[in-house]
Amino acid sequence: MTALPATSDDRAFWELWLSPYHMPCITCADEVGTFASISGEAKDTDTIAAELEVDARALGIHLGLLAALGMVERREGKWRASALARTWMHPDGEGYYGPLVQGFQRTSPLHEQMVASLRPDFDAAGIVSNVEEWERGELPLDRAVAIAAFMNSHSVAPSKAVSRLPLFADHKSLLDVGGGSGVFAIELARTWPELSTTILEIDTMCDAAQAYIDKAQMGARVSTVAVDMFRQDWPTGHDAHFFSNIVHDWSDKTCHLLAEKSFAALEPGGRIMLHEALMDDDGTGPLIAAAFSMLMLLGTRGKQYTLAELRSFLEGAGFVDVEAQTTGGAAYSLVTARKPA
């Protein structure tokens, strides 16, 4: 065998994987007029959205990636085009790159998807969400197997990073909500011999995860339970609920629902854990999280959240002691909170 073992740092591949979203975000902003709108005056998101006649939530995701790319700045909640954008992307500028990037606009499907994502009627824009079948609990087995493989491939390194955190020593039974291939449940159980883990998924995803559990020979410590996490009650008796790349799939309303269902099922004194690539507090980066947020907008109509946004979901459901720490991996943080005893 000549392959090298996986490490906890796959930053280089995250940067390569998400780099195709960079230029289309700039060309989209050029087409809809974002740079011209905020070159002379700083404006808040709602004001820009009203002026450009676009959806404010989607625009905020676009602006976050533009900021991470150095094209816009944010001060006290207001956005302004950076010197870079005012020099090279203002349509009236001597150095306007428009004729070059317009050629890119005509050939990039991502450009068209990003323009569509800004429309107030985005849900009717003909872009099918990748999670609609999952949300209905009706995912065919072949799709479940493919999704499990996709999720597993970008979660090997993060699972190794998060499993090193000492807080897992405080728990005996962890429910991995929407655990996909089971990569986190498997790695956590492997790292912490006193911890048993259960993957909560729809039935076909449980079938897909079982293949990974069997390959890892972790069947004695890792199990699955087939539950529709939106419509059915969750199993009780667990002192930790772990979510990785789950809340970023959904709307604020659905995130509130998931937090409430976790609070209802979690043991008193137990801990909820949200493993996500966090946006900075002002929503302007970092670049991996901002590009990931754009991917989520296009693929699931979700987004990457800030700590303050996740805090609102958790505290709104009754959780206390909200904290965040980076995991040591390429992009992720672990946000935790406690259910009062």
Side-chain angles (χ1 to χ4, degrees):
M1 179 177 176
T2 57
L4 297 175
T7 72
S8 62
D9 185 2
D10 57 351
R11 176 177 296 274
F13 257 94
W14 275 88
E15 292 172 346
L16 289 168
W17 176 40
L18 296 171
S19 62
Y21 293 87
H22 297 178
M23 183 56 75
C25 186
I26 295 171
T27 62
C28 174
D30 180 52
E31 179 168 317
V32 303
T34 305
F35 299 126
S37 171
I38 55 176
S39 284
E41 177 185 357
K43 301 171 185 175
D44 62 32
T45 306
D46 288 339
T47 299
I48 305 166
E51 181 180 319
L52 300 180
E53 299 181 342
V54 299
D55 179 76
R57 178 181 178 274
L59 178 64
I61 296 169
H62 282 244
L63 289 167
L65 179 50
L66 290 170
L69 292 168
M71 303 301 295
V72 302
E73 303 166 343
R74 195 179 197 189
R75 299 286 186 275
E76 297 182 332
K78 293 185 176 182
W79 305 91
R80 185 189 295 273
S82 67
L84 175 67
R86 297 198 308 272
T87 302
W88 302 111
M89 288 306 302
H90 194 291
D92 296 331
E94 176 187 6
Y96 179 48
Y97 258 75
L100 175 67
V101 300
Q102 285 165 11
F104 190 90
Q105 290 173 357
R106 291 191 295 269
T107 60
S108 171
L110 281 174
H111 167 85
E112 294 302 325
Q113 291 177 31
M114 288 186 192
V115 172
S117 74
L118 289 170
R119 297 172 187 153
D121 62 346
F122 177 45
D123 283 349
I127 300 175
V128 178
S129 170
N130 294 329
V131 298
E132 288 176 350
E133 290 173 311
W134 205 333
E135 187 172 6
R136 291 197 301 268
E138 301 173 354
L139 194 65
L141 181 58
D142 61 337
R143 288 281 305 282
V145 170
I147 290 173
F150 172 87
M151 294 172 64
N152 193 82
S153 66
H154 74 61
S155 297
V156 171
S159 72
K160 292 181 179 298
V162 75
S163 68
R164 296 174 179 176
L165 299 180
L167 62 86
F168 291 100
D170 299 334
H171 298 283
K172 300 298 183 184
S173 179
L174 179 144
L175 186 68
D176 185 2
V177 181
S181 71
V183 60
F184 289 95
I186 292 167
E187 191 64 31
L188 286 166
R190 180 184 286 130
T191 305
W192 299 96
E194 301 302 316
L195 179 67
S196 64
T197 61
T198 300
I199 301 160
L200 183 153
E201 267 291 4
I202 59 176
D203 53 359
T204 51
M205 286 301 299
C206 285
D207 293 339
Q210 191 62 50
Y212 292 88
I213 297 170
D214 293 343
K215 182 178 179 180
Q217 299 182 340
M218 293 294 292
R221 301 266 312 288
V222 182
S223 61
T224 66
V225 58
V227 171
D228 182 331
M229 67 179 179
F230 299 106
R231 298 171 184 84
Q232 295 178 307
D233 292 336
W234 295 7
T236 57
H238 300 282
D239 62 3
H241 285 176
F242 181 85
F243 301 67
S244 183
N245 290 325
I246 299 300
V247 297
H248 72 183
D249 283 330
W250 312 106
S251 67
D252 291 7
K253 180 180 179 181
T254 301
C255 290
H256 278 292
L257 170 67
L258 292 174
E260 290 168 353
K261 290 181 75 69
S262 174
F263 190 86
L266 190 63
E267 288 290 289
R271 185 181 277 149
I272 186 173
M273 308 173 183
L274 307 181
H275 182 247
E276 293 283 349
L278 287 183
M279 292 293 291
D280 291 338
D281 291 348
D282 62 359
T284 61
L287 181 56
I288 286 178
F292 200 17
S293 194
M294 179 64 76
L295 183 154
M296 300 316 301
L297 173 65
L298 301 183
T300 71
R301 303 185 186 104
K303 60 177 282 190
Q304 297 304 130
Y305 289 99
T306 65
L307 175 59
E309 290 170 325
L310 295 182
R311 180 187 297 277
S312 72
F313 304 148
L314 296 172
E315 292 182 344
F319 289 102
V320 297
D321 299 336
V322 180
E323 298 179 347
Q325 59 181 308
T326 57
T327 66
Y332 284 95
S333 293
L334 190 68
V335 177
T336 63
R338 184 175 54 83
K339 178 177 177 176

